[in-house]
Amino acid sequence: MLEVLFWSSILFVFYAYAGYPLLLKAFSSVRSHSVRKGPIAPNVSFIITAYNEEKRIEAKLKNTLEQIYPKEKLEIIVASDCSSDKTDQIVLSHQMSGVRLVRAPERKGKENAQRYAVERASGEILIFSDVATILEPDGVRNIVENFNDETVGCVSSVDRFIDSDGKISGEGAYVKYEMLLRSLESRFNSVVGLSGSFFAARREVCREWAVDLQSDFNTLINSIKIGLRGVSDPESIGYYKNIADEKKEFERKVRTVLRGISVFMNSRALLNPFRYGFFSWQLFSHKLCRWLVPFAMIGAFLSNILLIAGSVFYFYLFLFQIFFYAVAFGGIGSDLSSRKYFFKIPSFLVLVNLSILKAWYWYVKGERVMLWEPSKR
């Protein structure tokens, strides 16, 4: 029984991180569902969500106003979550350039502020972006062209890091992995998540806007519910600075997972393959399996301890686990710029799964994340 628990735990972790993408790659080679992009230019509402962003909002507005898209078809709205600094004043100073301010009457969170903007938006396509995310001049045009494909309900950008000097820096292994996964999902059927910093959706997908659910993930879920899909566009890139403070990055991951679990639990019906087909398998594999990995890791560790007495083989496997966690915890807190992948990948995997455990703890306790503070990058 203990051996069954040990090996099933190991296989579960393998499936969550490697088995699922390998199956996607195999399936996509025989069932390709590419996006039919086209040179379309519908009316677009570009929604920037902001809370106390007086230091960065000017640069974001400049970047948005410089987009290569018909000016008469691009509506720019800043959704202020009841900012208490000079953010709103700076936005209002750009009124002559066509920028609109939509201020939430109370500070109730990112999605609540976005709801007010969605209600006032006039575009056929709604684009959502964070203040910290910088786009290429053709960013809007590229992401909109995906909606030439009538099966597409929402589109995710690709994440890229920039360093403190404004230069494109090397992507982390985890970001590369996630972007590869989205690419495989797009080719096969649909992505299972969007980049919250820069994504787009058809207006009909945003009609039932939830103020208590993570907007990027919930927008994808809403697309699936009405028979559309989500895709990732490699030409739509969002550039942002990485969070250097590991403690803040850890807490950000906890909040992200907690908000994702809330959306998932609210949409469990999508696990029905008879109604939602391949997406049910994708949702189970990409989200639920990933969020259950820490429990599998605990199961493998504890069962391995109990198996040591009866086998030298399991003794060496236990030593390997001890070595892995020693390397992981040894790498935590070291300088990100100098840390080798030997330490970096184990450290990241452990931190990610610790953040998932904490998110489950919060969820079971009934805690939910509504208010938000933009990450200082």
Side-chain angles (χ1 to χ4, degrees), residues 250-261:
F250 178 81
E251 293 303 327
R252 185 194 68 81
K253 284 184 172 66
V254 174
R255 294 193 302 270
T256 299
V257 174
L258 175 60
R259 284 154 60 82
I261 291 172

Side-chain angles (χ1 to χ4, degrees), residues 282-299:
Q282 290 182 261
L283 182 63
F284 170 79
S285 301
H286 191 152
K287 294 296 185 181
L288 186 58
C289 285
R290 189 84 65 83
W291 292 334
L292 294 178
V293 162
F295 300 103
M297 292 173 71
I298 293 171

Side-chain angles (χ1 to χ4, degrees), residues 15 20 23-24 27 188 277-285:
Y15 174 77
Y20 172 56
L23 285 174
L24 275 176
F27 292 161
F188 173 62
F278 287 113
F279 183 79
S280 297
W281 165 67
Q282 290 182 261
L283 182 63
F284 170 79
S285 301

Side-chain angles (χ1 to χ4, degrees), residues 68-91:
I68 302 172
Y69 198 82
K71 300 303 180 185
E72 70 278 6
K73 293 188 174 184
L74 180 60
E75 175 184 53
I76 301 173
I77 301 174
V78 176
S80 173
D81 187 23
C82 206
S83 296
S84 58
D85 64 356
K86 296 180 181 178
T87 297
D88 295 359
Q89 295 170 247
I90 296 170
V91 174

